[in-house]
Amino acid sequence: MTFVSKLALAAVLTLGAPVLVAAPAAAQNKGEKAPEIKVSPEFRTPAAAAEAAFKAQDLATADTQLTAAEAVAKNDDERYFAASLRLQIELARKNTPGQMKALQVLSTSPKVPADKVRLYGAVYNYMLGDQLLTAKKPAEALPALLKARELGSDQPDLPVLLANAYAGTGKQAEAVAEVDRAIQASKGAGRKPPQEWYKFAIPRVNQLGDRAATATWLSRYIQEYPSVQNWRWAVSVFGLGASDDKAEKLSLFRLMRSTHALAGRSDYAAYAYTAQQAGLPWEAVAVIDEGRKSGVIPAGDSDTQQIYTASQNAARAEGSLDGLAKQAAGAANGKNAVSTGDAYLASGNNARAVELYDLALQKGGVNADQVNLNRGVALQRLGRKDEARAAFQQVKTGPYANLALLWAASVDFPPLA
């Protein structure tokens, strides 16, 4: 997959052609030394005709006359003038191969004015790299594009082209870095980066195995483009199907539920089964009820019915959670408070969940990152957004920190009831 920018190449449009004169009057009047120009009569005649035709916007005649002049060009002055005028003609004709031919000469000509040397070289190498990429030759395009940057090219599309070239040569980390450069430049110019840029970079970050970086990129993307479809894609990329950690998997399902990204019977069934296996039957029952109410889980679905029945029985066997909360209050550490808080969260009693999580953090002896993550979820459900953000920010390390980045991005999406 490649990604593109719609920005047009503009720098070459400002490059002017030299005037075909031996000694400019303006320079002579000022006492300045005119540049030495060596033009033969056989070159001057067709070149002057080409210049006149171009000024009259007769491109066909200009092309014919310049072709004749190019055929007899013998020195650097003549080749420089011919290439300069050729560039102007081909720009007017929107003929990229012709532009490239002219720029190839100009990028190496000793007659190019000092203030134009780097510009011609930068433009030529930029266009050469672009053409090589179009021809699906990323390995050849890469050095040309890097040379364009070295020569000072300020083309906004340069990072885009470099990202494609790096990706095409298997250098995914470098490709991602160039996408990031393109995004930052776009934002710096007051433009919103296209979402295709994020969707180009994120799978590559994920392939590099950096979960924290993947979470950061997904968070950036979802904040720019917060839609249900994109939330579903983000959770999928982050590894819902690949995660072996029950707590992580359950948190991802909860995130999909919070952002309305659950879709289809399989999502609801897998979510309910994960909650049941995590010892949270209340949540399994609630999820199946929700799926049935929306019509996603069909009536008579035997697999979900088995989960439903088993979870109902388990919830009844647990009895009231208030008794467990009293035991947690008298415990030496916060472990019982955590498990009871998890049960309250699963049963939808978010206010009590927050109380038990606070108690667990106060007593200690618990995984503070996991507690703060679930505490943030409960606070978000209660509509206490600022407190939820603060809770997610307290999650510092490991997989829970990555999850917290995604949850923090969801605080304002969708609007809470």
Side-chain angles (χ1 to χ4, degrees):
M1 174 184 176
T2 59
F3 77 139
V4 297
S5 169
K6 297 183 184 300
L7 295 172
L9 180 66
V12 291
L13 298 178
T14 65
L15 305 182
V19 179
L20 191 66
V21 294
Q28 293 176 348
N29 292 338
K30 293 180 180 179
E32 298 174 3
K33 182 179 180 181
E36 183 181 353
I37 297 178
K38 298 178 181 179
V39 179
S40 65
E42 60 265 32
F43 176 85
R44 179 182 296 276
T45 299
E51 183 179 42
F54 176 71
K55 290 179 179 178
Q57 298 184 355
D58 182 356
L59 299 181
T61 301
D63 176 48
T64 300
Q65 293 294 330
L66 184 58
T67 299
E70 290 168 336
V72 297
K74 293 183 175 62
N75 61 43
D76 289 332
D77 287 303
E78 292 172 348
R79 284 187 285 269
Y80 168 51
F81 178 86
S84 298
L85 185 54
R86 172 61 65 189
L87 179 60
Q88 302 306 307
I89 292 172
E90 302 304 349
L91 283 169
R93 299 202 305 179
K94 296 182 172 59
N95 178 23
T96 300
Q99 296 167 26
M100 292 294 297
K101 181 180 177 181
L103 283 166
Q104 187 173 19
V105 175
L106 293 171
S107 66
T108 57
S109 172
K111 293 297 181 177
V112 172
D115 63 337
K116 298 280 188 176
V117 173
R118 290 176 64 84
L119 177 58
Y120 278 119
V123 172
Y124 170 68
N125 281 284
Y126 174 88
M127 293 181 69
L128 175 61
D130 187 18
Q131 289 298 300
L132 288 168
L133 273 180
T134 301
K136 299 183 179 179
K137 297 179 179 179
E140 296 177 41
L142 188 55
L145 294 170
L146 290 173
K147 185 66 175 178
R149 174 172 285 170
E150 177 188 333
L151 292 173
S153 173
D154 59 357
Q155 285 299 309
D157 282 359
L158 183 55
V160 175
L161 298 182
L162 276 166
N164 283 308
Y166 276 126
T169 53
K171 298 178 179 179
Q172 305 302 345
E174 291 86 348
V176 170
E178 291 297 338
V179 179
D180 189 46
R181 186 193 290 258
I183 289 173
Q184 298 306 325
S186 182
K187 287 186 173 182
R191 297 186 299 268
K192 186 174 183 177
Q195 64 175 321
E196 288 78 11
W197 292 9
Y198 290 98
K199 299 193 82 169
F200 176 93
I202 289 169
R204 288 170 168 80
V205 177
N206 197 38
Q207 289 170 10
L208 293 170
D210 190 336
R211 296 277 282 171
T214 300
T216 299
W217 270 92
L218 287 170
S219 176
R220 291 168 59 187
Y221 170 53
I222 214 70
Q223 286 172 345
E224 289 277 3
Y225 294 95
S227 70
V228 170
Q229 180 181 3
N230 288 344
W231 268 113
R232 182 172 175 78
W233 182 81
V235 173
S236 175
V237 169
F238 194 67
L240 175 61
S243 177
D244 294 325
D245 186 289
K246 291 181 181 178
E248 182 179 4
K249 198 166 189 175
L250 183 60
S251 189
L252 288 171
F253 273 125
R254 285 172 175 167
L255 181 58
M256 291 179 74
R257 186 184 183 190
S258 174
T259 56
H260 303 316
L262 291 171
R265 177 254 179 213
S266 61
D267 279 355
Y268 282 90
Y271 182 179
Y273 179 75
T274 300
Q276 181 194 40
Q277 293 297 299
L280 300 171
W282 310 273
E283 192 160 0
V285 169
V287 168
I288 292 174
D289 280 338
E290 187 177 297
R292 287 174 172 173
K293 183 178 180 179
S294 65
V296 173
I297 298 178
D301 186 278
S302 59
D303 290 338
T304 53
Q305 183 58 47
Q306 289 179 7
I307 298 172
Y308 192 78
T309 301
S311 297
Q312 281 187 316
N313 292 336
R316 280 193 292 267
E318 288 286 352
S320 172
L321 296 177
D322 292 340
L324 295 175
K326 291 179 181 179
Q327 292 177 24
N333 57 47
K335 292 181 180 178
N336 287 345
V338 170
S339 60
T340 307
D342 288 344
Y344 276 123
L345 183 67
S347 66
N349 192 337
N350 299 296
R352 287 290 279 155
V354 171
E355 293 175 10
L356 269 295
Y357 289 140
D358 287 343
L359 178 63
L361 292 171
Q362 178 185 337
K363 286 180 173 292
V366 298
N367 185 331
D369 288 325
Q370 184 176 8
V371 173
N372 276 308
L373 177 65
N374 289 338
R375 181 173 176 273
V377 173
L379 288 165
Q380 181 174 343
R381 290 177 178 177
L382 292 168
R384 294 157 62 177
K385 295 184 179 182
D386 291 340
E387 293 174 84
R389 290 191 191 92
F392 293 137
Q393 289 171 359
Q394 290 299 311
V395 186
K396 303 295 186 182
T397 60
Y400 298 117
N402 301 334
L403 289 167
L405 283 174
L406 297 180
W407 271 103
S410 77
V411 169
D412 294 309
F413 176 87
L416 296 171

